[in-house]
Each structure stands twice: as structure tokens, then as C-alpha cells.
Amino acid sequence: MKANYVKRGFVGISSYLVLFFTVCISVVPLLWIVVSSFKSNKAILNKPFALPTEINFHAYYSVFKMNNFLSNTFNSVLIAVTSTLVALLFYALAAYSFAKFDFFGKRLLFILFSVTLLIPGHATAQPIFSFINLTGLYDTRLALIVVYISAGLAVSLFILRASFLSIPRELDEAAYMESASFWQVFIHINLPLAKAGLSTAGILMFLGNWNEFFYGFMLTSSAENRTLPVALQFFTEQFSYNYTQLFAALTLVTLPSIILYMVAQEQVQQSVVSGGVKG
């Protein structure tokens, strides 16, 4: 009995140590970047881990004054929001079909969609680049919107299908008996009841689209059409010796997605766990 208590205590302490270590390596660098954005270059180099002696927003003001920063921010917001909303519409319809209807090849088709999780995103770079060039969309916001719409296919279908499966089919059947159309049943009954899954899939897709760099860099060439992650690469080159402005730019790019996830993390985790149980 005593050995069991010792074993449980050791496991508990080990778990907390692992969690503490994970939090430290994840959160501390972010906090250090934010704190350093309020310090001078000299203070960062001489006392990198000291707190700032005063709060100075000059670095943020300088970043906002830079050419194209506001346009790059607008690009990121427009592309991430548009691609997320359009993808949610298509994936919600697909997930609803998988959850509520029986058709030939349904299981095989869902497995094929799920298998896309195993394909590295960069493996499709060549055909995507060729397609964008062929359609004349290279160096346009529309090119990134088209690519980002397909980015969250597997995860979104997995989450949304589980959400629609949790809605009793009797509600649909009762609505059809009252002469409701497919769209009325889908929009007025199923979408409101699946709002937790919709918001979770939307948040995950938005975060992925907001932080995406590879295709944003590959499919754009002009400064006016760059997204913030791509622009950040050029900020790094421009601010190679101005660490204060570099950290300010990093904070402005990463903080919105971190705040969004912190606000919605409980809902995201619950939906993912629910999808694992029902899927």
C-alpha cells in the first residue's frame, strides 16, 4: 500500500514537472519578446533578462509607420477571414452529408479525406504553384484564399462531422415531415445546434491561415500582397540590428492569434475530445 502511494506521488510530481517545463519553454520566450519590445537596444544587449525601466511605445509607433505594414495587416485579415468563412460553408455541408446521409462509398471517401492529414503540406507545393500560375492568380490575394480554403479539410471535417452526429436525426425527420427543405433543415436546425463545432473548426482554420508562411511566401512577390508572416521575414532582415523594433513587430504579428486561442482554448479542446469519442 505504501509503495502504491509512493508510486502515485512520484507519477504526480513527474507530471507536474513535465507540465512546468512545457509551459516554460512555450510561454517564457513569448513573454521575453513582449517585454523586450519596450526596452532599448542597449538594455536588451546589456541586460537581456531585466525588466524595462520605463514603458516606451516608440518601437510600435515606428513599426506602424513602416511602408506596407498596415496593408500587410489588411491582407492577413482579409485572406484569413475570407478563406475561413468560405471553407466553413463547404466543410459544414460536407460534414453534414457524411453525418446524416448514407451513400455509396461514404466510408471510403471519409477515410480518403482523413488520410490527407498524413500528407506533408509542402508535398503539394509543385502542383499548387503550377495551378496558380496556369490560372493567372500568381501574386494575388485570391491565390492565397483559394489555397487556404483547402488547408483545414481533414481536421474540420472530423470536428464538424462529430458535431452533426450529436444532433438527433429525429429533428431532421420531423422538419422534413413539416415540408421543410434541405436548406431550411441545414441552416435553421443543424447549424445552430452545431455552433460549438463550427466555432472550433473556424478558430483552428483561422489560426492556421493567419500564421501560414510557406505558401504566402511562394505565391506572392510584391510587397503590397504579402501577409504579415511573410512581411515579418523582411522585417527580420530590415531590423537585423534594431532588436526593439524587431520584437515589436514579432509581438504585433503573434499576439492576436495567441489571444484568440487563449479565449477559445476550452471550447477547442472540448470539441476535439468530443470528435474523438463520436468519430
Side-chain angles (χ1 to χ4, degrees):
M1 184 68 68
K2 185 177 180 180
N4 288 335
Y5 282 119
V6 172
K7 183 178 180 180
R8 290 177 183 176
F10 176 76
V11 172
I13 293 173
S14 301
S15 300
Y16 279 113
L17 288 176
V18 171
L19 289 174
F20 178 75
F21 176 75
T22 304
V23 169
C24 285
I25 63 175
S26 302
V27 177
V28 171
L30 295 174
L31 292 177
W32 182 75
I33 289 174
V34 175
V35 170
S36 298
S37 67
F38 296 105
K39 298 162 65 175
S40 65
N41 261 4
K42 183 178 179 181
I44 293 174
L45 294 173
N46 293 338
K47 297 179 180 179
F49 299 107
L51 294 175
T53 55
E54 61 177 353
I55 302 299
N56 190 342
F57 291 92
H58 178 72
Y60 291 91
Y61 179 71
S62 300
V63 171
F64 276 112
K65 284 183 63 179
M66 289 182 53
N67 291 335
N68 299 315
F69 181 82
L70 291 179
S71 65
N72 296 147
T73 303
F74 173 76
N75 290 340
S76 284
V77 172
L78 175 66
I79 293 169
V81 171
T82 304
S83 59
T84 299
L85 292 178
V86 175
L88 267 182
L89 173 62
F90 287 122
Y91 295 161
L93 285 168
Y96 178 70
S97 300
F98 278 117
K100 297 300 182 74
F101 300 101
D102 295 319
F103 51 88
F104 177 77
K106 167 184 170 180
R107 186 174 182 82
L108 176 61
L109 189 59
F110 185 77
I111 292 174
L112 290 176
F113 282 136
S114 301
V115 167
T116 59
L117 280 171
L118 306 177
I119 302 175
H122 297 175
T124 57
Q126 178 57 44
I128 287 177
F129 183 79
S130 299
F131 171 77
I132 295 300
N133 266 333
L134 185 64
T135 54
L137 295 177
Y138 180 76
D139 197 26
T140 64
R141 300 184 186 97
L142 182 58
L144 295 180
I145 291 174
V146 170
V147 173
Y148 290 174
I149 285 174
S150 64
L153 171 64
V155 173
S156 299
L157 276 181
F158 186 77
I159 295 173
L160 293 172
R161 175 176 170 269
S163 296
F164 288 122
L165 281 173
S166 66
I167 302 172
R169 288 195 179 189
E170 290 75 11
L171 294 176
D172 296 359
E173 293 171 358
Y176 285 127
M177 290 179 63
E178 296 294 331
S179 301
S181 65
F182 169 85
W183 290 107
Q184 288 174 326
V185 174
F186 175 68
I187 295 174
H188 297 296
I189 296 177
N190 285 271
L191 285 186
L193 295 176
K195 61 182 179 181
L198 287 168
S199 59
T200 299
I203 289 169
L204 292 178
M205 281 192 290
F206 177 83
L207 292 177
N209 296 338
W210 177 269
N211 295 311
E212 203 281 328
F213 171 81
F214 179 76
Y215 285 108
F217 183 78
M218 184 179 71
L219 299 177
T220 58
S221 59
S222 61
E224 293 78 13
N225 290 320
R226 291 171 186 157
T227 57
L228 277 179
V230 178
L232 185 60
Q233 175 67 28
F234 294 89
F235 294 162
T236 304
E237 298 174 1
Q238 183 172 349
F239 298 147
S240 56
Y241 298 104
N242 194 330
Y243 298 107
T244 304
Q245 290 189 11
L246 174 60
F247 291 146
L250 284 169
T251 301
L252 290 172
V253 173
T254 59
L255 206 56
S257 58
I258 293 173
I259 294 174
L260 177 62
Y261 185 79
M262 288 176 63
V263 170
Q265 62 175 330
E266 184 176 352
Q267 187 175 10
V268 171
Q269 293 168 1
Q270 288 178 352
S271 291
V272 171
V273 171
S274 175
V277 173
K278 296 182 181 298

